[in-house]
């Protein structure tokens, strides 16, 4: 082994140490390496210690404009009050033509930017369909190793495609806006089948009750052998219903 | 609206009957034209409408003159909202003036008055817009884009010796409406009855701020809605000559909306505000008569003329349909116009004088009630004394030398302008329909529908400039080296010493006033915002009277209802 | 690297005009870059944290009023946080005299009104590559 290689290894070890200590810049750099699928990124992953327990990963999915980021923002506040360290990975689609992306979600979580107990990272899907990026499982492993108790993965999508998220998340939250009518029918084969919690956000709308009832009746049609899927109402902007959502998420995370 | 749309089909009636619009003659001419220009000669305006080479009697059904145009001062007001229009009531030249400390503003205004400006306009510093006092932000940001105003004392200095009892005053005011509260308290001290005050709260339309500018967005959307309704209610009762509701189309267009979209959004916003007031039990005949509007005018000359003509027609019919109003007063689209800063260039800035002149003409032919002409250096900084003088002179030249105020709606009856007015009307209506389907303007703005449409149009216009399809002189065509630009570009920064002195004075004001009444008034303000039935604007008026500053009032309101930022729509 | 640059587009200070920054976001995306877009009124410490967590190569500040006067403070804060490799560009209305001051403070490039799409895309991409090279050299050091 050459001297240079040894030097590199030492820098790698130091980097991994800092990641495990939860040092934000080191985590951020390592994510870039993983996203870019570099050899260094692979080495970092290989050197990460085996976790004591599996990561608690919460997938939050919903159509654009339903208030996902705002709800996650409120959820972070709630989870921080319970002294949990929270990692958020917010995935936005890359342009299929240019490969570029505009990532605008984290701005709604801006007030957590300077909290060391919160790590937020925007990821572009980089050509992967299903609302996720192909390196997501590795990024999750990294952020988990950095000591974040709960990982939230935010993805855009409606209907069938977002089923992809169930491969990486062990708790799946699907978000709805009040007042969707026919769209519910289209959901039957999609997210409704895999979601663990359904949430109607913006519950201050007069259409909320109707949507809650529709979702409940859809779930009833799925039969009794399924486990009970709660249907919750939240108002992300005021934080209403968020504590209950956090309760449900943590219940499921601990039962897994 | 449907009765109007039907006529468009019947406008192309001529069937080779030898009349002016003879189909045979038209076809023959078209063939000759195609030989000359080629088959691919297709042009569109900013609203995406095709612009043909020629319009003829087939494009306008003059038999519907009374229904679609009518006489000035009569619905549907296509030709103007007043009987005599500019001939009897020339428009008010109104310059947005905001610079430095209150004394600087006052000096500038007196100077402009001597030059013949009549409309007062107070444009506050960005710190004020965001709801802060000048001592709450970095000093380097102060006084360049507007005047520092925090206290009643400041407002008094701004308006010193200016005739607020005779001339109407435009205030860049929004929720919680401290600027008008400062002025009303100054008026009271001067012994001027509130009932006699005339003017406009020009930035009261929170929906346009939320969707397109955000500068004035100080508190959350719901609280803005409530504050506006309180402001309108209080003003309508207390100062009947004041226009508390100024619906802003200008922000949308400056943010990139097409002229048709900007008009459509503004009218949709006005419908929303109107519906909200009706829900409160207000009488539409009364409040609609005091609605005023504020539009942008771009360089797309004929399109802008048609936008204003169509906007008036659409509005007068919409309010009849949706509010059931009968009086002509309640159906008039009264508006102020500002020439578009987005059309101006940093390159060869003196060229902007020509641009502003054309924009102003479009606004005048469009039947505006008051006009702000941008200074030629507006694309670089706030106007200097010289550039402001030219901006005012431009209006005087158009009115007194070119005699543009002599004839009412001089472009009315032009085949092109009438056809374009009809087409713009259709476009405006289709925008209003989209907003209706999104649940009305409040929801369309909250959900980002409006923002997405604006973003698309802005990008489209920029692409046209990038590709050279839209020529911008000095920028993508006829470019010269910057050293030959012919104009020194200086950002006029207020003297730091004057700013420091101002900050000392503000500190002194805070320290020497009676503190107890201020605290009590701010507590009252918080209670008003917490309640559902108290008028929040009344509480602002009282807080100012007790000596509270702008920043303290905004701060207390934010403590009570939260800090509001408009949604970011990418 | 297999991406063409990660850029944070933001506004600090008091102004809120965002027509320009939205268009630039689209330009950079269409050129294959990944753009973090924020609304206006960001605080400098938050911008530094955001740039850090997102591991961006370039920060673009849009300024149409006088907010560019705060940019030297941002550059200082980035350097103090050990993020001196991030290239900072300013777009919008900056008078010539003040442009020189910004360049001296460490601004990599100022895009005035009328800057072409090509120049914006090319220069931002080049600056991103520069920043990335600096980082990789750091790894090896």
């Amino acid at each position: 082994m050459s001297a240079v290689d040894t030097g590199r290894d030492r820098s790698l070890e130091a980097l991994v140490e800092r990641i495990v200590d939860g040092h934000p810049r080191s985590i951020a750099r390592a994510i870039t390496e993983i996203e870019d699928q570099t050899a260094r990124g692979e080495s970092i992953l290989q050197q990460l210690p085996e976790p004591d327990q599996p990561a608690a990963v919460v997938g939050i999915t919903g159509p654009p404009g339903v208030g996902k980021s705002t709800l996650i923002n409120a959820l972070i506040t709630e989870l921080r009050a319970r002294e949990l360290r929270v990692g958020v990975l917010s995935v936005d689609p890359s342009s299929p033509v240019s490969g570029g992306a505009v990532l605008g979600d984290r701005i709604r979580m801006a007030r957590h930017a300077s909290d060391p107990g919160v790590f937020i990272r925007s990821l572009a899907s980089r050509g992967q369909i299903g609302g996720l990026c192909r390196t997501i499982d590795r990024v999750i492993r990294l952020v988990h190793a950095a000591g974040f108790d709960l990982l939230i993965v935010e993805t855009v999508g409606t209907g069938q495609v977002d089923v992809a998220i169930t491969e990486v998340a062990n708790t799946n939250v699907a978000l709805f806006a009040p007042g969707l009518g026919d769209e519910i029918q289209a959901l039957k084969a999609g997210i409704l089948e895999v979601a663990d919690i359904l949430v109607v956000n913006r519950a201050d709308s007069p259409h909320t009750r109707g949507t809650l009832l529709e979702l409940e009746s859809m779930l009833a049609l799925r039969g009794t052998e399924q486990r009970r899927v709660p249907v919750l109402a939240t108002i992300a902007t005021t934080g209403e219903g968020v504590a209950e959502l956090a309760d449900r998420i943590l219940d499921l995370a601990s039962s897994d | 609206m449907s009765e109007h749309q039907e006529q468009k089909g019947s406008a192309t009636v001529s069937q080779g009957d030898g009349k002016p619009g003879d189909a045979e003659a038209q076809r023959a001419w078209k063939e000759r034209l195609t030989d000359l220009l080629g088959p691919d000669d297709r042009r569109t305006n900013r609203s995406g409408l095709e612009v043909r080479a020629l319009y003829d009697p087939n494009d306008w059904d003059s038999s519907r003159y009374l229904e679609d145009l009518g006489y000035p001062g009569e619905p549907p007001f296509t030709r103007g909202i007043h009987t005599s229009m500019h001939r009897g009531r020339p428009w008010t030249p109104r310059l947005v003036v905001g610079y430095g400390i209150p004394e600087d503003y006052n000096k500038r205004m007196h100077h402009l008055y001597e030059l013949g400006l009549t409309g007062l306009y107070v444009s506050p510093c960005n710190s004020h817009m965001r709801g802060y006092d000048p001592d709450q932000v970095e000093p380097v940001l102060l006084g360049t884009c507007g005047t520092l105003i925090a206290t009643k004392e400041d407002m008094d200095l701004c308006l010193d010796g200016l005739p607020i009892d005779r001339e109407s005053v435009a205030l860049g005011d929004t929720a919680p409406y401290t600027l008008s509260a400062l002025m009303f308290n100054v008026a009271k001290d001067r012994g001027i009855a509130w009932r006699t005050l005339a003017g406009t709260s020009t930035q009261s339309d929170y929906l346009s701020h939320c969707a397109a500018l955000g500068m004035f967005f100080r508190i959350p959307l719901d609280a803005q809605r409530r504050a506006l309704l309180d402001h309108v209610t209080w003003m309508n009762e207390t100062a009947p000559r004041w226009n508390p509701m100024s619906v802003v189309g200008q922000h949308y267009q400056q943010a990139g909306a097409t002229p048709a979209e900007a008009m459509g959004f503004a009218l949709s916003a006005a419908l929303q505000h109107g519906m909200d007031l009706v829900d409160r039990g207000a009488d539409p005949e009364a409040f609609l008569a005091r609605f005023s509007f504020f539009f942008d005018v771009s360089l797309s000359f004929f399109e802008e003329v048609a936008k204003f003509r169509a906007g008036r027609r659409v509005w007068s019919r919409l309010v009849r349909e949706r509010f059931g109003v009968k009086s002509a007063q309640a159906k008039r689209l009264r508006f102020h116009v500002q020439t578009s800063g987005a059309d101006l260039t940093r390159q060869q800035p003196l060229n902007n004088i020509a641009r502003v002149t054309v924009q102003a003409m479009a606004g005048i032919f469009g039947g505006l009630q008051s006009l702000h002409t941008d200074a030629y250096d507006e694309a670089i900084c706030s106007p200097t004394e010289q550039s402001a003088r030219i901006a005012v002179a431009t209006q005087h030249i158009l009115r007194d030398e070119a005699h543009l105020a002599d004839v009412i709606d001089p472009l009315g009856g032009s085949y092109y302008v009438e056809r374009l007015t009809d087409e713009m009307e259709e476009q405006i209506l289709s925008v209003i329909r989209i907003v209706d389907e999104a649940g009305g303007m409040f929801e369309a703005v909250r959900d980002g529908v409006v923002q997405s449409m604006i973003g698309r149009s802005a990008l489209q216009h920029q692409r046209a400039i990038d590709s050279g399809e839209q020529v911008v002189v000095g920028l993508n065509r006829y470019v010269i080296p910057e050293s030959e630009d012919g104009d020194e570009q200086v950002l006029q920064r207020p003297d730091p010493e004057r700013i420091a002195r101002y900050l000392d004075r503000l500190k002194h004001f805070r320290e020497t006033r009676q503190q107890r009444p201020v605290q009590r008034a701010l507590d009252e303000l918080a209670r008003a915002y917490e309640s559902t039935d108290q008028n929040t604007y009344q509480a602002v008026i009282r807080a100012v009277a007790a000596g509270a500053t702008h920043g303290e009032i905004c701060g207390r309101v934010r403590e009570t209802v939260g800090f509001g930022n408009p949604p970011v729509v990418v | 690297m297999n991406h063409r640059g990660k850029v944070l587009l933001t506004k600090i200070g008091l102004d809120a005009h965002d027509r320009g920054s939205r268009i630039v976001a689209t330009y950079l995306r269409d050129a294959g870059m990944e753009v973090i877009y924020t609304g206006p009124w960001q605080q400098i410490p938050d911008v530094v944290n955001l740039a850090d967590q997102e591991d961006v190569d370039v920060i673009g500040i849009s300024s149409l009023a006088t907010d560019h006067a705060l940019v030297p403070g941002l550059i200082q804060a980035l350097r103090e946080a050990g993020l001196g490799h991030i290239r900072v560009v300013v777009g919008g209305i900056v008078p010539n005299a003040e442009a020189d001051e910004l360049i001296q403070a460490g601004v990599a490039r100022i895009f005035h009104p009328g800057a072409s799409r090509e120049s914006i895309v090319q220069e931002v991409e080049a600056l991103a590559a520069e920043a990335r090279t600096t980082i990789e050299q750091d790894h090896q050091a």
Side-chain angles (χ1 to χ4, degrees):
Chain A
M1 207 183 261
S2 76
V4 175
D5 279 344
T6 318
R8 271 190 194 164
D9 277 349
R10 220 177 281 135
S11 90
L12 193 70
E13 274 165 32
L15 177 64
V16 170
E17 241 169 67
R18 285 198 302 274
I19 291 169
V20 174
D21 283 350
H23 182 246
R25 176 153 330 142
S26 306
I27 304 168
R29 292 273 159 81
I31 292 178
T32 305
E33 300 282 357
I34 294 169
E35 277 189 291
D36 288 353
Q37 298 180 292
T38 64
R40 188 177 167 81
E42 270 315 303
S43 314
I44 294 167
L45 286 167
Q46 277 163 18
Q47 295 212 10
L48 285 177
E50 277 303 309
D52 300 336
Q53 51 189 354
V57 182
V58 182
I60 297 189
T61 306
V66 71
K68 289 187 295 296
S69 306
T70 313
L71 183 64
I72 291 170
N73 182 50
L75 198 55
I76 298 171
T77 308
E78 181 65 33
L79 295 167
R80 290 298 291 145
R82 301 178 190 199
E83 291 178 1
L84 291 162
R85 302 184 74 226
V86 188
V88 179
L89 303 172
S90 178
V91 188
D92 269 313
S94 296
S95 154
V97 183
S98 70
V102 175
L103 314 165
D105 292 325
R106 69 169 295 154
I107 193 56
R108 295 183 190 89
M109 309 168 208
R111 65 198 174 90
H112 299 293
S114 300
D115 176 355
V118 180
F119 183 89
I120 304 168
R121 177 66 175 242
S122 318
L123 301 168
S125 67
R126 297 199 179 172
Q128 194 74 351
I129 54 156
L132 284 177
C133 54
R134 71 166 65 86
T135 52
I136 189 74
D137 49 341
R138 276 167 281 177
V139 176
I140 288 170
R141 227 168 83 212
L142 181 100
V143 181
H144 178 49
F148 288 91
D149 307 307
L150 195 78
L151 293 176
I152 296 173
V153 181
E154 176 191 4
T155 56
V156 186
T158 44
Q160 245 161 344
V161 284
D162 17 68
V163 174
I165 195 163
T166 59
E167 288 169 22
V168 296
N170 33 38
T171 305
N172 290 288
V173 180
L175 238 62
F176 301 90
L180 50 111
D182 297 344
E183 291 166 48
I184 288 223
Q185 291 305 318
L187 291 171
K188 217 185 317 193
I191 195 72
L192 218 51
E193 299 294 300
V194 292
D196 303 299
I197 301 169
L198 303 183
V199 176
V200 179
N201 191 33
R202 286 194 184 148
D204 44 351
S205 152
H207 303 294
T208 308
R209 222 186 123 62
T211 308
L212 288 169
L213 288 172
E214 275 177 272
L215 287 172
E216 271 161 12
S217 66
M218 289 297 310
L219 286 170
L221 290 175
R222 299 207 311 187
T224 47
E225 77 280 9
Q226 303 268 3
R227 73 190 152 121
R228 171 108 183 89
V229 173
V231 184
L232 308 179
T234 58
I235 307 171
T237 47
T238 63
E240 233 175 286
V242 176
E244 196 189 348
L245 174 61
D247 287 343
R248 300 291 184 138
I249 287 173
L250 295 173
D251 280 353
L252 285 168
S254 60
S255 70
D256 269 344
Chain B
M1 237 45 43
S2 58
E3 53 172 351
H4 176 67
Q5 275 158 359
E6 274 166 30
Q7 65 97 358
K8 232 144 283 146
S10 63
T12 45
V13 281
S14 283
Q15 299 285 335
D17 50 9
K19 286 185 181 160
D22 184 283
E24 265 316 308
Q26 193 200 52
R27 199 172 303 127
W29 169 80
K30 257 189 183 162
E31 269 170 32
R32 293 197 299 276
L33 183 79
T34 310
D35 287 346
L36 285 168
L37 300 180
D40 298 330
D41 177 72
R42 193 174 180 278
R43 301 180 194 185
T44 52
N45 65 15
R46 294 188 185 193
S47 298
L49 294 164
E50 188 179 354
V51 178
R52 302 203 315 263
L54 186 78
Y55 293 81
D56 64 18
N58 295 318
D59 292 299
W60 179 44
D61 179 6
S62 62
S63 72
R64 288 184 51 87
Y65 178 83
L66 274 185
E67 294 99 303
D68 288 345
L69 272 64
Y71 282 91
E74 294 298 321
F77 303 109
T78 311
R79 309 204 68 183
I81 59 163
H82 300 305
T83 306
S84 65
M85 281 306 287
H86 299 150
R87 192 172 176 115
R89 7 188 348 165
W91 66 89
T92 312
R94 197 186 287 285
L95 237 56
V96 176
V97 176
Y99 168 71
I101 65 174
E103 289 90 332
D104 297 328
Y105 171 85
N106 186 258
K107 188 167 159 252
R108 175 77 57 88
M109 277 313 299
H110 275 286
H111 175 69
L112 290 169
Y113 251 81
E114 283 161 21
L115 295 172
L117 185 80
T118 50
L120 281 162
Y121 197 119
V122 183
S123 180
C125 173
N126 285 357
S127 60
H128 180 104
M129 292 188 190
R130 286 295 287 155
Y132 300 118
D133 283 339
D135 54 0
Q136 291 176 297
V137 307
E138 297 271 344
V140 69
L141 301 177
L142 292 175
T144 307
C145 301
T147 306
L148 302 186
I149 301 178
T151 65
K152 198 171 74 172
E153 205 174 67
D154 293 342
M155 183 59 96
D156 199 24
L157 284 167
C158 279
L159 300 176
D160 188 33
L162 294 170
I164 58 169
D165 52 339
R166 296 195 311 275
E167 301 286 354
S168 69
V169 184
L171 297 173
D173 198 18
T174 192
Y177 301 98
T178 45
L179 209 52
S180 56
L182 291 168
M183 189 192 122
F184 273 59
N185 274 287
V186 167
K188 194 174 184 186
D189 292 352
R190 291 187 188 176
I192 303 167
W194 286 345
R195 299 200 71 76
T196 64
L197 288 176
T200 305
S201 311
T202 61
Q203 303 285 352
S204 58
D205 180 0
Y206 65 91
L207 290 170
S208 78
H209 287 287
C210 184
L213 181 54
M215 287 296 285
F216 280 98
F217 209 81
R218 301 163 180 158
I219 53 176
L221 206 50
D222 285 323
Q224 299 248 13
R225 188 183 208 168
R226 191 263 177 96
L228 171 65
L229 298 177
D230 285 349
H231 180 66
V232 173
T233 307
W234 191 92
M235 283 292 190
N236 284 348
E237 283 166 8
T238 318
R241 297 184 63 210
W242 195 268
N243 305 312
M245 183 69 255
S246 168
V247 183
V248 185
Q250 192 249 5
H251 295 153
Y252 306 115
Q253 203 168 323
Q254 282 294 291
T258 66
E261 283 172 339
M263 179 60 76
F265 292 146
L267 299 186
S268 289
L271 289 174
Q272 179 77 63
H273 299 313
M275 287 299 178
D276 287 354
L277 284 162
V278 167
D279 285 348
R280 275 203 167 194
D283 172 16
E285 294 281 1
F287 69 70
L288 285 175
R290 292 247 64 92
F291 268 33
S292 71
F293 293 76
F294 169 19
F295 294 110
D296 192 58
V297 65
S298 77
L299 268 168
S300 187
F301 182 85
F302 289 104
E303 182 178 2
E304 291 291 351
V305 173
K307 173 183 88 177
F308 294 125
R309 300 177 88 243
R312 273 192 295 270
R313 187 155 74 201
V314 171
W315 181 243
S316 79
R317 289 174 175 168
L318 271 181
V319 293
R320 190 194 59 204
E321 283 170 15
R322 302 210 186 177
F323 298 103
V325 289
K326 297 198 170 60
S327 74
Q329 298 270 329
K331 295 183 198 162
R332 296 178 316 182
L333 187 81
R334 286 187 302 148
F335 58 87
H336 170 72
V337 165
Q338 176 161 355
T339 57
S340 167
D343 282 346
L344 305 187
T345 64
R346 176 179 179 274
Q347 295 77 7
Q348 304 174 49
L350 293 172
N351 291 350
N352 291 332
I353 299 173
R355 293 191 176 98
V356 168
T357 307
V358 175
Q359 293 169 334
M361 286 172 69
I364 292 164
F365 291 149
L368 51 78
Q369 275 61 59
S370 64
L371 172 62
H372 164 98
T373 31
D374 272 2
Y376 68 84
D377 50 3
E378 199 109 0
I380 307 150
C381 53
S382 283
T384 59
E385 208 164 285
Q386 183 220 25
S387 65
R389 194 172 59 227
I390 294 173
V392 179
T394 303
Q395 298 202 28
H396 294 151
I397 291 166
L398 292 176
R399 189 186 64 203
D400 301 332
E401 294 185 29
H403 301 290
L404 296 194
D406 286 358
V407 176
I408 302 166
D409 188 31
L411 299 180
S414 144
Y415 303 130
Y416 174 36
V417 171
E418 294 303 348
R419 171 72 183 211
L420 191 55
T421 301
D422 290 346
E423 289 179 348
M424 288 294 279
E425 175 176 10
E426 268 178 58
Q427 288 251 337
I428 293 164
L429 286 171
S430 78
V431 172
I432 293 171
R433 221 170 290 125
I434 290 170
V435 174
D436 280 347
E437 279 163 16
M441 196 62 176
F442 188 88
E443 291 188 24
V445 162
R446 187 196 61 196
D447 297 347
V449 174
V450 171
Q451 292 91 321
S452 300
M453 288 170 70
I454 294 172
R456 257 200 310 277
S457 297
L459 194 61
Q460 216 159 20
H461 185 65
Q462 190 58 44
R463 286 194 167 135
I465 292 172
D466 286 346
S467 70
E469 182 193 327
Q470 170 65 59
V471 171
V472 182
V473 172
L475 192 128
N476 64 5
R477 192 90 67 88
Y478 317 111
V479 179
I480 60 168
E482 252 190 48
S483 54
E484 294 164 31
D485 254 0
D487 201 65
E488 188 65 25
Q489 295 160 2
V490 198
L491 180 61
Q492 219 187 6
R493 292 268 191 201
D495 178 2
E497 260 180 50
R498 285 172 78 75
I499 297 276
R501 265 211 306 281
Y502 171 88
L503 292 173
D504 280 345
R505 193 170 73 207
L506 178 58
K507 189 160 171 259
H508 182 76
F509 176 89
R510 262 197 238 284
E511 283 168 2
T512 54
R513 69 185 174 187
Q514 293 241 324
Q515 306 300 340
R516 183 102 33 97
V518 174
Q519 284 317 314
R520 263 204 305 269
L522 290 174
D523 290 345
E524 278 298 319
L525 175 67
R527 271 196 288 280
Y529 267 91
E530 278 160 6
S531 80
T532 49
D533 57 339
Q534 289 178 49
N535 189 302
T536 56
Y537 185 64
Q538 171 76 51
V540 174
I541 291 271
R542 286 182 181 148
V544 168
T549 67
H550 164 71
E552 288 164 348
I553 291 168
C554 292
R556 192 57 186 270
V557 171
R558 279 170 161 166
E559 264 174 46
T560 313
V561 299
F563 200 101
N565 274 340
V568 176
V569 181
V570 186
Chain C
M1 71 178 192
N2 69 359
H3 69 265
R4 304 180 69 179
K6 194 158 176 180
V7 182
L8 168 60
L9 280 187
T10 188
K11 279 175 85 76
I12 50 181
L14 298 168
D15 175 53
H17 292 83
D18 64 352
R19 178 174 178 170
S21 54
R22 288 174 71 178
I23 286 174
V24 169
T26 313
Y27 282 175
L28 299 182
R29 182 199 63 195
D30 290 349
M33 284 177 250
E34 290 176 0
V35 182
I36 314 283
Y37 185 86
T38 79
W41 311 307
Q42 304 305 308
Q43 303 285 324
I44 287 177
D46 292 338
V47 172
V48 172
N49 274 314
L50 204 152
D52 196 3
Q53 294 191 359
E54 294 291 348
D55 193 22
V56 301
D57 309 314
V58 176
I59 297 177
I61 301 289
S62 158
S63 171
L64 281 95
T66 54
D67 299 336
H68 59 268
L70 302 177
V71 174
L74 170 68
I75 291 179
Q76 187 59 30
L78 286 168
R79 285 179 183 157
E80 280 164 15
L83 294 169
H85 68 280
I86 295 177
R87 303 301 195 257
V88 177
V89 300
V90 175
I93 297 169
V94 181
N96 292 339
E98 299 186 21
D100 295 341
E101 288 166 29
L102 290 186
I103 298 289
Q104 271 160 30
V107 169
R109 179 74 163 88
I110 296 166
F111 298 105
H112 294 292
S116 76
R117 175 198 174 107
E118 288 79 32
S119 73
I120 294 172
V121 164
Q122 276 168 19
E123 295 189 41
V124 169
E125 203 174 333
L127 289 168
E130 262 178 52
R132 203 38 60 186
T133 313
T134 316
I135 291 266
E136 273 154 23
Q137 280 161 357
D138 284 353
H139 283 331
Q140 277 153 31

